[in-house]
Amino acid sequence: MHFSLCAHAARLFHQAFISFRKYVLEMTSLPADLHIILSDICCGAGHIDDVYPYFMRHAKQIFPMLDCMDDLRKISDLRVPADWYPEARAIQRKVIFHAGPTNSGKTYHAIQRYLAAKSGVYCGPLKLLAHEIFEKSNNAGVPCDLVTGEERTFVDSEGRAAGHVACTIEMCSVNTPYEVAVIDEIQMIRDPSRGWAWTRALLGLCAEEIHVCGEPAAIDFIRELMYSTGEEVEVHTYQRLTPFSILDHAVESLDNLRPGDCIVCFSKNDIYSISRQIEARGLECAVIYGSLPPGTKLSQAKKFNNPDDPCKILVATDAIGMGLNLSIKRIIFNSLVKPNINEKGEKQMETISTSQALQIAGRAGRFSSKFKEGEVTTMHRDDLPVLKEILSHTVDPIEDIFVSLSQVDGLYFVCNIDDFKFLADMIQHIPLNLRSRYVFCTAPINKKQPFVCTSFLKFARQFSRDEPLTFDWVCRHVSWPLAPPKNIKDLVHLEAVHDVLDLYLWLSYRFMDMFPDTAFVRQIQRELDDIIQQGVRNITRLIRATDPNITDPLQTQSNRRSQTGSNIGAASSSVLTKTRGQRGQRASGGVMDSSLASRLVRDGLLTPDLLQQLQKEWSKDQKQENASEGTFSSAERITMKWHPQLYK
């Protein structure tokens, strides 16, 4: 960054020099003082350096930003971030690292000190965690406020700040003095997009005691980071309170599920298909995934945890890894690969890391649940030795992933700003002042949801016209009131609307006059949460309405762990392995199930026109191709037809 700034200054200097020379040579009359200086130089009575102040005066007239180049040079030097927080450097802080695996009591001990303090701040990665500490603190008789990007809740009726506050980590104040601060899940300091928030909290919080909770793999790095501030780190190590064991056999069939089982998937499509197959067997299941509103997640967790509820099975993504208290006996990994975005911004499939596997596996047999010992296994037999191998490794130290960039110290890295650039490009044509544009570009939105992106654009356009975004305007935009979902597509749209209302609330705390109807929007968001909960409770009916020909999901996962990229070869192998288990099964009417069809089209392995052609051929040949043990499924015939090399 510093290098690019210097290069930019050099270009400005060259352009200013050319302009100044042209100005001196072509102007019919020069200012008297400049004329005198030039005459003295020509006569040998002056020095060429005497003209420099006049050159700079001219340069600043044509390039006004030169007045702040020194300031820009200072702020581009990112080598010592600790110096950005003089209030924290002015006090001697005590740093205590509570290190341990999941379910070891590390956060519990930090929170006990937080509750005992005269003032404190809790900084967590999720709204759910901030809510949990907010409720726990107030229930313990310790007045506590709640601050997240979309919500401010003051326990004092007159809005006076309480001595304690629970917040999402991005929202913590580095100017307010506290006796105790708790920074949860410190290992997330490595996150390319959000890691800056943990760095800021660790270096900047003005607290006499900083209690840091997280994986032991972060200890050495935090010690080194604190060495730059002159603060020592006291380490408290904890062991897991309840054991969990890796079973020697995979589940292999949904018929082998037991009460307290949690099947972990890494895609919503797998959640939809597995939950339907479970309920087709006469069992009830709860469903939790990342894009569900917090209220719906809590409702599903409560349903699963309730011993009097017939729901005894949970199907979830890795969203259960933190933020929810769940009574799980056995964790079942449906797959060991998950989508990831690489450094180039490309989507790829990667085997889960040891850290991720431990975070999920650790949810089995929680100390506070009725299951005092946990079990971990896989759905597929071939995945079990891979899981054992993953869990046998130690978590890589965090320091290994940090890089040095120009004027950035080796302990730090520049966070990924792809989301910022995405939003900046989206609104670059909208006239906004610099501060407003910056705030809009830092908004936390799900860029995978077209409706959310469209709403963001409309919000910015309405804002640029200086027209307040009223409750009526928002209702028209989201078509409120909304009906309960009839299929999965409706449910996904309702989740997107919930995100849009979150965006409104987030912006309302930055531009209160332009987003004035916070209370009304929050009310309909609560109503929307109830509608989504109703949809999730009936999720199998929605799946059935969306995809009546859905097939057994156990045939879709067997070799995802082999996918390490998004090339066609890898995707082709995935389709082949996913579908070999379907021999002897026929899709209704000779047509492959729509979820697999859409996946093939999405991956570029099949065009919609070719799909229609194949469907016609299957329908024509159905009578001749009776299902038998040795018959290839329709999905395999696709692979054989368009990728015959895979069968050689």
Side-chain angles (χ1 to χ4, degrees):
M1 186 182 296
H2 182 72
F3 173 79
S4 63
L5 183 65
C6 291
H8 181 59
R11 287 194 297 272
L12 290 179
F13 180 88
H14 182 66
Q15 293 171 16
F17 165 71
I18 293 173
S19 175
F20 182 68
R21 183 177 62 181
K22 183 177 180 181
Y23 167 73
V24 169
L25 294 177
E26 297 182 4
M27 282 292 289
T28 54
S29 62
L30 292 171
D33 53 351
L34 177 57
H35 184 86
I36 293 171
I37 291 295
L38 292 174
S39 296
D40 287 348
I41 293 172
C42 291
C43 297
H47 191 274
I48 189 64
D49 289 349
D50 296 339
V51 82
Y52 182 74
Y54 301 93
F55 163 73
M56 285 303 300
R57 183 174 69 185
H58 175 81
K60 289 179 179 180
Q61 287 176 345
I62 61 172
F63 298 121
M65 76 283 290
L66 289 174
D67 273 329
C68 60
M69 286 301 284
D70 286 340
D71 291 334
L72 288 173
R73 190 172 290 107
K74 288 177 183 176
I75 65 174
S76 73
D77 188 345
L78 306 179
R79 287 175 293 186
V80 193
D83 290 349
W84 301 348
Y85 308 102
E87 293 92 343
R89 301 291 76 77
I91 61 176
Q92 187 63 34
R93 306 180 307 169
K94 182 179 180 181
V95 181
I96 300 99
F97 194 127
H98 300 268
T102 56
N103 195 26
S104 61
K106 58 184 184 296
T107 306
Y108 169 82
H109 285 87
I111 293 301
Q112 291 305 110
R113 179 66 188 95
Y114 163 86
L115 294 174
K118 294 177 182 177
S119 63
V121 58
Y122 168 84
C123 309
L126 301 174
K127 286 184 282 187
L128 279 174
L129 286 170
H131 270 275
E132 180 183 343
I133 301 303
F134 165 73
E135 292 178 355
K136 182 177 294 186
S137 183
N138 285 299
N139 290 339
V142 179
C144 178
D145 296 335
L146 174 68
V147 177
T148 71
E150 302 80 22
E151 187 174 1
R152 310 284 192 281
T153 301
F154 296 99
V155 291
D156 182 82
S157 58
E158 297 181 3
R160 288 188 294 264
H164 288 68
V165 60
C167 63
T168 45
I169 193 160
E170 287 87 350
M171 301 304 297
C172 70
S173 168
V174 293
N175 300 314
T176 306
Y178 300 102
E179 182 181 347
V180 169
V182 176
I183 304 175
D184 208 357
E185 305 292 353
I186 188 62
Q187 69 275 3
M188 290 189 70
I189 199 169
R190 78 176 87 188
D191 187 272
S193 299
R194 297 183 66 199
W196 64 268
W198 276 263
T199 302
R200 172 178 172 269
L202 187 59
L203 296 178
L205 281 170
C206 296
E208 298 169 26
E209 295 179 20
I210 307 287
H211 290 257
V212 177
C213 308
E215 296 176 355
I219 293 174
D220 289 343
F221 176 73
I222 299 304
R223 273 189 171 136
E224 191 171 356
L225 200 61
M226 292 297 93
Y227 180 79
S228 68
T229 67
E231 296 163 328
E232 294 185 2
V233 178
E234 178 183 316
V235 178
H236 297 181
T237 303
Y238 304 86
Q239 302 301 317
R240 186 175 165 86
L241 296 174
T242 57
F244 76 79
S245 57
I246 307 173
L247 300 180
D248 290 327
H249 56 274
V251 175
E252 299 196 70
S253 170
L254 296 177
D255 293 327
N256 297 325
L257 293 180
R258 304 194 300 253
D261 278 349
C262 172
I263 304 174
V264 177
C265 309
F266 295 112
S267 80
K268 283 202 291 186
N269 283 338
D270 292 336
I271 281 184
Y272 297 151
S273 57
I274 285 177
S275 60
R276 177 172 175 185
Q277 290 294 317
I278 289 172
E279 298 212 0
R281 288 163 165 79
L283 303 172
E284 286 193 33
C285 67
V287 173
I288 296 174
Y289 51 87
S291 59
L292 286 177
T296 304
K297 290 177 185 172
L298 289 171
S299 172
Q300 289 290 294
K302 184 177 180 181
K303 176 182 174 71
F304 174 69
N305 289 338
N306 185 355
D308 298 325
D309 195 292
C311 171
K312 302 300 181 187
I313 308 294
L314 175 63
V315 184
T317 64
D318 52 345
I320 64 162
M322 60 178 71
L324 290 168
N325 292 315
L326 296 163
S327 185
I328 298 171
K329 170 64 174 176
R330 182 171 62 169
I331 288 284
I332 303 166
F333 284 88
N334 189 57
S335 169
L336 296 176
V337 294
K338 65 176 294 186
N340 193 21
I341 304 297
N342 63 21
E343 294 177 355
K344 298 179 181 179
E346 301 166 338
K347 185 176 180 180
Q348 61 185 25
M349 302 297 289
E350 286 187 346
T351 303
I352 60 174
S353 67
T354 299
S355 175
Q356 291 168 331
L358 286 171
Q359 187 79 29
I360 297 167
R363 309 307 286 181
R366 302 283 291 180
F367 179 72
S368 59
S369 78
K370 64 180 180 181
F371 300 115
K372 300 307 179 185
E373 294 187 11
E375 298 172 346
V376 181
T377 187
T378 59
M379 181 63 73
H380 307 282
R381 187 185 306 173
D382 292 345
D383 283 337
L384 189 54
V386 181
L387 177 64
K388 289 183 177 181
E389 176 71 14
I390 292 171
L391 292 175
S392 69
H393 295 156
T394 57
V395 179
D396 292 334
I398 285 180
E399 59 185 352
D400 292 346
I401 62 103
F402 288 86
V403 296
S404 176
L405 294 175
S406 185
Q407 291 287 296
V408 180
D409 185 89
L411 287 175
Y412 304 92
F413 67 94
V414 176
C415 279
N416 187 317
I417 58 171
D418 288 346
D419 289 346
F420 185 95
K421 291 190 291 186
F422 175 83
L423 298 182
D425 290 342
M426 194 186 303
I427 62 171
Q428 58 88 21
H429 64 286
I430 297 177
L432 295 168
N433 63 47
L434 184 59
R435 177 188 176 275
S436 299
R437 187 177 299 277
Y438 175 80
V439 172
F440 267 86
C441 290
T442 58
I445 79 165
N446 182 358
K447 64 182 183 181
K448 296 178 183 177
Q449 283 281 7
F451 183 70
V452 177
C453 294
T454 301
S455 302
F456 173 79
L457 194 60
K458 288 185 176 180
F459 281 15
R461 189 174 292 121
Q462 182 83 349
F463 182 94
S464 72
R465 300 187 188 116
D466 202 26
E467 298 176 2
L469 287 84
T470 63
F471 176 66
D472 289 340
W473 186 94
V474 172
C475 288
R476 287 195 302 272
H477 172 64
V478 301
S479 302
W480 186 264
L482 292 162
K486 297 179 180 178
N487 50 46
I488 290 297
K489 183 179 178 181
D490 290 348
L491 180 61
V492 171
H493 177 68
L494 293 180
E495 292 168 7
V497 173
H498 194 280
D499 286 348
V500 169
L501 300 182
D502 259 351
L503 174 63
Y504 181 98
L505 295 171
W506 189 90
L507 289 166
S508 73
Y509 288 108
R510 280 83 183 164
F511 307 107
M512 294 183 182
D513 55 334
M514 296 298 290
F515 296 82
D517 294 332
T518 304
F520 294 123
V521 170
R522 194 177 301 284
Q523 176 59 37
I524 66 170
Q525 190 182 47
R526 282 194 288 264
E527 294 176 25
L528 177 59
D529 199 334
D530 291 339
I531 295 172
I532 293 174
Q533 288 183 38
Q534 179 182 340
V536 173
R537 283 195 295 268
N538 297 317
I539 196 164
T540 54
R541 179 176 57 78
L542 304 186
I543 296 167
R544 198 176 302 116
T546 304
D547 186 4
N549 296 316
I550 198 162
T551 57
D552 193 328
L554 296 186
Q555 299 155 2
T556 67
Q557 296 292 334
S558 58
N559 90 323
R560 281 191 183 174
R561 65 180 181 277
S562 65
Q563 295 182 11
T564 56
S566 57
N567 56 72
I568 290 179
S572 303
S573 301
S574 173
V575 171
L576 172 65
T577 311
K578 287 175 185 175
T579 57
R580 277 187 174 163
Q582 293 177 342
R583 293 176 182 173
Q585 294 186 12
R586 302 285 298 182
S588 177
V591 181
M592 63 179 289
D593 72 274
S594 61
S595 59
L596 180 56
S598 61
R599 194 179 300 127
L600 289 168
V601 173
R602 182 193 64 205
D603 289 344
L605 304 177
L606 192 64
T607 66
D609 290 338
L610 289 174
L611 176 61
Q612 290 182 2
Q613 180 182 341
L614 285 169
Q615 288 172 339
K616 291 178 182 178
E617 292 179 15
W618 295 332
S619 180
K620 179 180 178 181
D621 297 339
Q622 184 180 10
K623 293 181 181 180
Q624 301 174 8
E625 296 181 1
N626 294 322
S628 67
E629 272 300 302
T631 303
F632 285 105
S633 69
S634 58
E636 285 201 75
R637 290 200 298 276
I638 295 173
T639 311
M640 294 175 68
K641 185 176 182 68
W642 303 111
H643 303 281
Q645 74 277 9
L646 297 174
Y647 283 81
K648 291 181 180 178

